Amino acid sequence: MSNQTQPNVPQRDTTRSDRLLALTMLAIGFGAIWFGRDISPMARVFPTTMAVVLLVLSALLLCKAFIRRSHEAPHETGSVPRRLLLVAVILVWGFTLNWLGFIASSVAGVAVLALIGHFQGWTPRRALTYGLALLATVAFFYLLFDVLLDVPLPAGTLWQRL
Amino acid sequence: MEIFSYLLAALTPVNLMLAVLGVSAGIVIGALPGLSATMAVAVLVPITFGMSPEAALILLGAIYTGAIYGGSYSAILINTPGTPSAIATTFDGYPMARKGDGDLAVTLSTMSSTAGGLFGVLALVTLGPLLATIALKFGPVEYFWLAIFGLTVISALSEGSTLKAFIGAAIGLLLSTVGLAVVGGDVRYAFGSQFLLGGVEQISALIGLYCIPVLIDLVAKPDAHLQAPEKGRGLRIAEGFGLMWRGKFNALRSSIIGTIVAILPGAGGSIASLVSYSEARRASKNPEAFGKGEPNGVIATESSNNATVGGGFIPTLVLGIPGTPPDAVILGALLVQGFRTGPEMFGANSAVTYTFVGGLLVATLVMLPIGLLIGRYAFKSIVSIPKALLVPAIAFMTIIGTYAIRNNPFDVVVMVVLGALGWVLCRYGIKPSPIVLGLILGPIAEQGFVQGYLMGNATGSLGAVFFGRPLSMGIIALILLSTLIPLWNSWRRQHPKEALS
């Protein structure tokens, strides 16, 4: 969560990370100007102006990070592998939507995420209850979007080929 | 008397049923991240094609009202605004939920939304024609400054470094320029990818930047997601009423702001709720409490965004210019039926207008019991759901919500990547709200900026175009105030003795 919601969490020294952030933003600003050089002047004026604004703000942050120390972010705790796994699973889910189809990719996706989000031991009863609840969720949203709201969901190119 | 009879026509069993159904459907759709009020109205428009204009307007208005309010549920309970107009509700709603006061936050949101909605409807019927003429005076440059005002407000409001918040806003503005240019139609920053031609989809980005960081943090630790409420507290209606009574001026001021902002075509509930939140914090005796679970923050944003419903109908019905994006969909639905909006809406077609106003009034009133009922169970349910179910369920909703917008799996990938980047940036002190607002307000700002730039070049006086009109100067003054006051307050906190002397 953001430190906004955790007022009592000790803040870490962000001076070095501020320098890195400022340099990254400077690179993005210069990149926006560089990659915008082939665009017509009328379409270039706004992104170029915003890139210049970003450059100025990043330069200010860089100066500030060299002048005084800052403590503007909370100490990070918790499982890093679980975080990375979560992002990877959702990414794979997104990439396989068209190939596996909505139902198959969603059932696989929610099953893996349930494993990642669970910290206690698994019992057969718990696995069955959670499995049924997640299947019901997938079914409900499939019916809501595909049948009721008429939003076409991918059937899966894999199954169409078989 | 004639007007009164038109208003009473909204109370027929069919119209009452439409109002109840519309509000309920709107609440459910609005509460789902990814389904905005605009989408709620858009997907249900075909149902109205066989109806009379009055019934169609009542149903669509009720869906719109319910969806704007429903957006607060997910904002409060999972820190993910169901609709863009609920962005500011996350600032205090979610911290309240984390402290175990999610039920109170939902009750306050329901009461404030009803109060704001009623104010908006009253404004529609009384001030409509007069206020709509003032909005017509806004030119492209004023819209540019208005968008910048929205960005400075959010940046100044963000916790932590204001400088980093401005950097976040600039990133959002740059992201909004990916794809086809608003003016000119050039392809920008697509790097040869056909998927980037359409740009970064706003709702996908909103879902990613707000929802993915919550998921990333949820799986990191075994602790409970929200603090469980004490047992036997009921709906906390008396407590909610007490807080509403104490915050009555806040609710009134926010409703007025919501109505005025909604009258400006294109400026919707997201700007209105941010401006109201800013004003509520500025006027508060305890501004430090905002962002940490201050009930007045929820009252301000929710009364304001629901006031935009009635306010947005003023230019839609009187001038045929949609005040907010959902109004544009409703306007389209009416045109499909062969019904033209315009000044005669309060003249020859006043029967339709006043019956619709009556229906909107009924829809806003029924939102109170329906919202309290759904809200109570929503908080109890979300608290009791284990993480092993909550994480996949939220992830699933983010994916289906993102995919449904354009039926494009690439949007899901963009949503996840932006969400992961948003989480990293948050660790560096850049919060998601300025980035999201930059993305949403980017096209409005660019259109105004480029048109102003062209006008300035054509007349040979760029300065006069951007700084010469009184309306522009008024908005620029507000921008300076919204930027400088928080900086001054921060400096005063750091140097109390110097400030005193």
Side-chain angles (χ1 to χ4, degrees), chain B residues 385-412:
Chain B
I385 296 173
K387 278 187 179 178
L389 286 178
L390 193 64
V391 169
I394 296 175
F396 179 63
M397 282 194 285
T398 63
I399 288 178
I400 194 168
T402 307
Y403 179 83
I405 297 163
R406 296 197 293 200
N407 299 334
N408 186 355
F410 186 73
D411 284 342
V412 177

Side-chain angles (χ1 to χ4, degrees), chain A residues 1 12 18 32 43 72 76, chain B residues 164 188-189 217 220-221 427:
Chain A
M1 298 301 129
R12 67 180 161 82
D18 278 0
E72 290 165 352
E76 212 49 68
Chain B
K164 287 181 184 174
R188 301 181 298 196
Y189 309 123
D217 284 331
K221 293 172 198 166
R427 264 62 230 158

Side-chain angles (χ1 to χ4, degrees), chain A residues 3-45:
Chain A
N3 57 352
Q4 171 184 328
T5 56
Q6 298 179 350
N8 298 324
V9 173
Q11 305 286 289
R12 67 180 161 82
D13 188 342
T14 53
T15 314
R16 281 182 68 188
S17 61
D18 278 0
R19 289 176 197 163
L20 183 65
L21 175 70
L23 289 172
T24 311
M25 292 303 144
L26 281 171
I28 291 174
F30 281 121
I33 294 171
W34 174 260
F35 288 110
R37 67 193 190 285
D38 295 330
I39 306 170
S40 74
M42 196 166 66
R44 195 174 54 206
V45 61

Side-chain angles (χ1 to χ4, degrees), chain B residues 115-404:
Chain B
L118 289 175
F119 185 91
V121 174
L122 288 176
L124 168 63
V125 78
T126 52
L127 301 171
L130 175 73
L131 290 174
T133 52
I134 299 170
L136 275 182
K137 291 189 167 52
F138 269 63
V141 175
E142 280 76 25
Y143 278 109
F144 166 70
W145 287 122
L146 194 68
I148 299 299
F149 176 53
L151 286 170
T152 54
V153 165
I154 184 80
S155 304
L157 283 176
S158 290
E159 286 292 314
S161 163
T162 307
L163 181 59
K164 287 181 184 174
F166 282 126
I167 290 176
I171 296 169
L173 286 169
L174 271 178
L175 276 175
S176 77
T177 64
V178 173
L180 289 175
V182 179
V183 182
D186 286 57
V187 178
R188 301 181 298 196
Y189 309 123
F191 304 105
S193 164
Q194 58 163 331
F195 296 114
L196 285 174
L197 280 179
V200 177
E201 213 292 316
Q202 290 176 353
I203 306 294
S204 312
L206 186 150
I207 294 172
L209 285 163
Y210 279 108
C211 222
I212 297 297
V214 171
L215 286 173
I216 291 174
D217 284 331
L218 270 178
V219 297
K221 293 172 198 166
D223 320 349
H225 161 54
L226 300 173
Q227 198 175 319
E230 292 161 29
K231 281 182 183 160
R233 293 196 303 192
L235 289 167
R236 302 178 77 180
I237 292 176
E239 206 178 338
F241 264 121
L243 285 165
M244 277 297 291
W245 180 251
R246 285 197 289 281
K248 54 187 178 294
F249 293 115
N250 176 19
L252 181 67
R253 179 182 54 237
S254 306
S255 302
I256 293 170
I257 292 171
T259 306
I260 293 171
V261 171
I263 291 168
L264 306 171
S270 48
I271 296 181
S273 56
L274 283 166
V275 174
S276 304
Y277 186 83
S278 163
E279 283 305 302
R281 193 166 94 154
R282 195 184 56 76
S284 171
K285 287 176 188 161
N286 190 16
E288 292 80 18
F290 279 72
K292 298 181 180 103
E294 168 60 43
N296 273 310
V298 177
I299 293 173
T301 58
E302 284 305 307
S303 50
S304 173
N305 63 24
N306 264 85
T308 62
V309 177
F313 275 115
I314 294 172
T316 311
L317 295 181
V318 179
L319 305 166
I321 300 170
T324 61
D327 288 325
V329 181
I330 294 172
L331 189 66
L334 288 174
L335 289 174
V336 168
Q337 286 192 330
F339 195 81
R340 288 206 164 273
T341 55
E344 69 274 15
M345 287 300 286
F346 284 90
N349 290 328
S350 57
V352 175
T353 308
Y354 287 111
T355 304
F356 162 60
V357 169
L360 203 57
L361 207 62
V362 171
T364 310
L365 285 171
V366 298
M367 193 168 74
L368 188 66
I370 294 174
L372 285 173
L373 196 68
I374 298 177
R376 182 187 184 185
Y377 292 106
F379 182 56
K380 278 190 172 171
S381 314
I382 207 105
V383 167
S384 59
I385 296 173
K387 278 187 179 178
L389 286 178
L390 193 64
V391 169
I394 296 175
F396 179 63
M397 282 194 285
T398 63
I399 288 178
I400 194 168
T402 307
Y403 179 83

